[in-house]
Amino acid sequence: MIVDERLVTYINSLDRGNTDFLNQLEMEALRDHVPIIRRETQSLLKVLLELTAPSRILEVGTAVGFSALLMSTYGPGECRITTIENYEKRISAARENFKKAGKEKQITLLEGDAQKVLKTLEEPFDFIFMDAAKGQYIHFLPDILRLLVKGGILISDNVLQDGDIIQSHFAVERRNRTIYKRMREYLGTLKNSSELETAILPLGDGVALSVRK
Protein backbone atom coordinates (compact mmCIF):
# COMPACT_ATOMS: atom_id res chain seq x y z
CA MET A 1 0.00 0.00 0.00
CA ILE A 2 1.46 3.37 -1.04
CA VAL A 3 -0.62 5.50 1.34
CA ASP A 4 -1.11 4.91 5.07
CA GLU A 5 -3.70 2.16 5.42
CA ARG A 6 -5.65 3.97 8.15
CA LEU A 7 -5.95 7.04 5.96
CA VAL A 8 -7.18 4.98 3.01
CA THR A 9 -9.70 3.24 5.27
CA TYR A 10 -10.97 6.60 6.51
CA ILE A 11 -11.26 8.05 2.99
CA ASN A 12 -13.11 4.97 1.77
CA SER A 13 -15.44 5.11 4.79
CA LEU A 14 -16.75 8.40 3.39
CA ASP A 15 -17.56 6.83 0.02
CA ARG A 16 -21.26 6.34 -0.59
CA GLY A 17 -20.63 3.41 -2.91
CA ASN A 18 -22.12 2.69 -6.29
CA THR A 19 -25.33 1.18 -7.62
CA ASP A 20 -26.58 -2.05 -6.07
CA PHE A 21 -25.50 -3.98 -9.16
CA LEU A 22 -21.95 -2.57 -9.08
CA ASN A 23 -21.66 -3.08 -5.32
CA GLN A 24 -22.65 -6.72 -5.73
CA LEU A 25 -20.27 -7.21 -8.65
CA GLU A 26 -17.45 -5.66 -6.62
CA MET A 27 -18.07 -8.03 -3.71
CA GLU A 28 -18.11 -11.04 -6.05
CA ALA A 29 -14.87 -9.95 -7.72
CA LEU A 30 -13.12 -9.48 -4.38
CA ARG A 31 -14.41 -12.85 -3.19
CA ASP A 32 -13.08 -14.57 -6.33
CA HIS A 33 -9.75 -12.68 -6.22
CA VAL A 34 -10.43 -10.93 -9.53
CA PRO A 35 -8.47 -7.67 -9.71
CA ILE A 36 -10.74 -4.65 -10.07
CA ILE A 37 -10.09 -0.96 -9.55
CA ARG A 38 -9.83 0.17 -5.94
CA ARG A 39 -12.42 2.40 -4.28
CA GLU A 40 -10.11 5.43 -4.45
CA THR A 41 -9.63 4.95 -8.19
CA GLN A 42 -13.35 4.48 -8.66
CA SER A 43 -13.94 7.89 -7.05
CA LEU A 44 -11.33 9.52 -9.29
CA LEU A 45 -12.90 8.00 -12.39
CA LYS A 46 -16.35 9.23 -11.43
CA VAL A 47 -15.06 12.79 -10.88
CA LEU A 48 -13.18 12.78 -14.22
CA LEU A 49 -16.22 11.44 -16.06
CA GLU A 50 -18.32 14.22 -14.56
CA LEU A 51 -15.74 16.85 -15.50
CA THR A 52 -15.08 15.73 -19.06
CA ALA A 53 -18.39 14.13 -20.13
CA PRO A 54 -16.67 11.91 -22.73
CA SER A 55 -18.66 10.53 -25.64
CA ARG A 56 -16.16 7.84 -26.72
CA ILE A 57 -14.33 5.80 -24.08
CA LEU A 58 -11.65 3.16 -24.67
CA GLU A 59 -10.67 0.70 -21.96
CA VAL A 60 -7.64 -1.58 -22.26
CA GLY A 61 -8.22 -4.52 -19.91
CA THR A 62 -11.83 -5.53 -19.22
CA ALA A 63 -11.46 -8.31 -16.61
CA VAL A 64 -15.06 -9.08 -15.53
CA GLY A 65 -16.35 -5.73 -16.79
CA PHE A 66 -16.55 -3.83 -13.50
CA SER A 67 -14.77 -0.64 -14.57
CA ALA A 68 -16.50 -0.56 -17.96
CA LEU A 69 -19.84 -0.80 -16.18
CA LEU A 70 -18.79 1.87 -13.69
CA MET A 71 -17.92 4.22 -16.56
CA SER A 72 -21.15 3.43 -18.40
CA THR A 73 -23.10 4.15 -15.21
CA TYR A 74 -21.41 7.41 -14.21
CA GLY A 75 -20.46 8.72 -17.65
CA PRO A 76 -22.90 10.50 -19.98
CA GLY A 77 -25.87 8.36 -20.94
CA GLU A 78 -25.02 8.62 -24.62
CA CYS A 79 -21.33 7.68 -24.28
CA ARG A 80 -20.05 4.58 -26.03
CA ILE A 81 -17.41 2.32 -24.50
CA THR A 82 -15.00 0.00 -26.30
CA THR A 83 -13.13 -2.42 -24.07
CA ILE A 84 -10.40 -4.97 -24.88
CA GLU A 85 -9.74 -8.29 -23.12
CA ASN A 86 -7.58 -11.30 -23.96
CA TYR A 87 -8.39 -13.77 -21.16
CA GLU A 88 -11.15 -16.07 -22.40
CA LYS A 89 -12.61 -16.91 -18.98
CA ARG A 90 -12.99 -13.24 -18.08
CA ILE A 91 -14.40 -12.39 -21.51
CA SER A 92 -17.39 -14.69 -20.92
CA ALA A 93 -17.87 -13.29 -17.40
CA ALA A 94 -17.74 -9.71 -18.68
CA ARG A 95 -20.27 -10.39 -21.45
CA GLU A 96 -22.61 -11.95 -18.91
CA ASN A 97 -22.25 -8.94 -16.60
CA PHE A 98 -22.90 -6.51 -19.46
CA LYS A 99 -26.03 -8.47 -20.31
CA LYS A 100 -27.26 -8.52 -16.71
CA ALA A 101 -26.76 -4.75 -16.48
CA GLY A 102 -28.52 -4.14 -19.81
CA LYS A 103 -25.40 -2.47 -21.23
CA GLU A 104 -24.69 -4.68 -24.28
CA LYS A 105 -25.54 -1.88 -26.71
CA GLN A 106 -23.45 0.73 -24.91
CA ILE A 107 -20.34 -1.42 -24.34
CA THR A 108 -18.46 -3.17 -27.15
CA LEU A 109 -16.04 -5.89 -26.03
CA LEU A 110 -13.19 -6.69 -28.42
CA GLU A 111 -11.42 -10.01 -27.88
CA GLY A 112 -7.69 -10.51 -28.36
CA ASP A 113 -4.24 -9.23 -27.54
CA ALA A 114 -4.54 -5.50 -26.87
CA GLN A 115 -1.40 -4.59 -28.79
CA LYS A 116 -2.85 -6.19 -31.93
CA VAL A 117 -6.43 -5.00 -31.38
CA LEU A 118 -5.35 -1.38 -30.82
CA LYS A 119 -3.75 -1.30 -34.27
CA THR A 120 -7.12 -2.14 -35.86
CA LEU A 121 -8.91 0.82 -34.26
CA GLU A 122 -9.41 4.07 -36.12
CA GLU A 123 -12.14 5.88 -34.18
CA PRO A 124 -10.70 8.62 -31.97
CA PHE A 125 -11.44 8.50 -28.24
CA ASP A 126 -11.67 11.34 -25.74
CA PHE A 127 -11.20 9.17 -22.62
CA ILE A 128 -8.88 6.15 -22.35
CA PHE A 129 -8.49 3.91 -19.30
CA MET A 130 -5.47 1.60 -19.19
CA ASP A 131 -5.74 -1.32 -16.77
CA ALA A 132 -4.17 -4.30 -18.54
CA ALA A 133 -0.81 -6.10 -18.33
CA LYS A 134 1.43 -3.53 -16.64
CA GLY A 135 4.56 -4.56 -18.51
CA GLN A 136 2.81 -3.83 -21.81
CA TYR A 137 1.77 -0.21 -21.18
CA ILE A 138 4.89 1.11 -22.88
CA HIS A 139 4.11 -1.00 -25.97
CA PHE A 140 0.48 0.19 -26.08
CA LEU A 141 1.40 3.88 -25.88
CA PRO A 142 2.05 4.69 -29.57
CA ASP A 143 -1.44 3.53 -30.56
CA ILE A 144 -2.98 5.09 -27.46
CA LEU A 145 -1.54 8.47 -28.51
CA ARG A 146 -2.77 7.92 -32.07
CA LEU A 147 -6.30 7.26 -30.82
CA LEU A 148 -6.51 9.98 -28.13
CA VAL A 149 -7.99 13.31 -29.25
CA LYS A 150 -6.49 16.67 -28.36
CA GLY A 151 -7.68 17.53 -24.86
CA GLY A 152 -8.47 13.87 -24.23
CA ILE A 153 -7.76 12.11 -20.94
CA LEU A 154 -5.56 9.04 -20.44
CA ILE A 155 -5.76 7.27 -17.07
CA SER A 156 -3.14 4.58 -16.42
CA ASP A 157 -3.85 2.45 -13.35
CA ASN A 158 -1.53 0.47 -11.05
CA VAL A 159 1.59 2.37 -12.06
CA LEU A 160 3.35 2.34 -8.66
CA GLN A 161 3.08 -1.40 -7.97
CA ASP A 162 2.29 -1.05 -4.25
CA GLY A 163 5.29 1.27 -3.96
CA ASP A 164 7.76 -1.42 -5.04
CA ILE A 165 8.57 0.46 -8.22
CA ILE A 166 11.08 2.59 -6.27
CA GLN A 167 12.99 -0.47 -5.07
CA SER A 168 16.37 -1.24 -6.56
CA HIS A 169 16.56 -3.82 -9.35
CA PHE A 170 18.06 -6.39 -6.98
CA ALA A 171 15.48 -5.84 -4.24
CA VAL A 172 12.62 -6.74 -6.59
CA GLU A 173 11.63 -10.38 -7.11
CA ARG A 174 13.18 -11.70 -10.32
CA ARG A 175 9.78 -12.40 -11.89
CA ASN A 176 8.78 -8.74 -11.46
CA ARG A 177 11.97 -7.05 -12.65
CA THR A 178 10.97 -6.71 -16.30
CA ILE A 179 7.52 -5.35 -15.40
CA TYR A 180 8.97 -2.74 -13.05
CA LYS A 181 11.64 -1.74 -15.55
CA ARG A 182 9.04 -1.24 -18.27
CA MET A 183 6.74 0.67 -15.92
CA ARG A 184 9.55 3.06 -14.99
CA GLU A 185 10.18 3.53 -18.70
CA TYR A 186 6.46 4.14 -19.26
CA LEU A 187 6.20 6.75 -16.52
CA GLY A 188 9.35 8.48 -17.74
CA THR A 189 7.92 8.57 -21.26
CA LEU A 190 4.61 10.01 -20.04
CA LYS A 191 6.31 12.74 -17.99
CA ASN A 192 8.70 13.71 -20.79
CA SER A 193 6.28 13.50 -23.72
CA SER A 194 5.75 16.71 -25.64
CA GLU A 195 2.25 15.44 -26.48
CA LEU A 196 1.06 14.93 -22.91
CA GLU A 197 0.82 16.70 -19.58
CA THR A 198 0.94 14.06 -16.83
CA ALA A 199 0.50 13.91 -13.06
CA ILE A 200 1.40 10.74 -11.17
CA LEU A 201 -0.92 10.33 -8.20
CA PRO A 202 -0.21 8.16 -5.11
CA LEU A 203 -3.81 6.97 -5.12
CA GLY A 204 -4.99 3.36 -5.09
CA ASP A 205 -2.01 1.51 -6.52
CA GLY A 206 -0.78 4.60 -8.32
CA VAL A 207 -2.55 6.43 -11.14
CA ALA A 208 -0.98 8.40 -13.98
CA LEU A 209 -3.38 11.08 -15.20
CA SER A 210 -2.47 12.49 -18.61
CA VAL A 211 -4.02 15.11 -20.88
CA ARG A 212 -3.31 15.20 -24.61
CA LYS A 213 -2.01 18.65 -25.58
Side-chain angles (χ1 to χ4, degrees), residues 10-168:
Y10 169 68
I11 291 171
N12 288 340
S13 74
L14 301 174
D15 195 295
R16 63 175 180 267
N18 301 308
T19 63
D20 290 342
F21 183 84
L22 285 171
N23 288 336
Q24 180 63 34
L25 182 56
E26 181 180 32
M27 286 191 294
E28 291 172 0
L30 294 173
R31 179 198 66 201
D32 297 336
H33 305 290
V34 175
I36 62 170
I37 56 175
R38 302 186 188 189
R39 275 293 174 99
E40 312 93 281
T41 309
Q42 293 174 36
S43 295
L44 177 65
L45 270 181
K46 288 191 277 189
V47 169
L48 291 173
L49 289 166
E50 191 69 31
L51 282 171
T52 61
S55 59
R56 299 176 305 278
I57 297 174
L58 173 63
E59 176 185 54
V60 185
T62 314
V64 293
F66 178 82
S67 50
L69 287 167
L70 181 103
M71 291 187 287
S72 71
T73 301
Y74 293 97
E78 69 279 5
C79 78
R80 293 292 175 265
I81 299 172
T82 300
T83 183
I84 305 170
E85 180 58 51
N86 195 36
Y87 185 24
E88 187 174 340
K89 184 177 179 180
R90 288 180 181 164
I91 287 170
S92 60
R95 290 196 186 282
E96 181 63 24
N97 288 327
F98 297 157
K99 183 178 180 180
K100 287 179 181 177
K103 298 286 188 176
E104 311 104 302
K105 293 183 179 179
Q106 187 179 9
I107 303 172
T108 300
L109 198 163
L110 303 179
E111 302 180 23
D113 178 81
Q115 195 167 357
K116 295 178 180 178
V117 174
L118 285 169
K119 295 185 184 305
T120 70
L121 301 179
E122 296 294 336
E123 179 185 15
F125 296 90
D126 40 16
F127 197 97
I128 299 179
F129 182 53
M130 287 252 279
D131 190 20
K134 308 306 173 278
Q136 300 303 313
Y137 282 16
I138 189 67
H139 300 310
F140 299 155
L141 189 57
D143 281 306
I144 292 296
L145 290 175
R146 176 178 62 83
L147 294 166
L148 187 62
V149 301
K150 184 177 181 180
I153 298 288
L154 166 63
I155 305 104
S156 308
D157 199 17
N158 304 116
V159 297
L160 296 181
Q161 301 292 291
D162 277 325
D164 289 343
I165 199 168
I166 63 173
Q167 299 292 338
S168 75

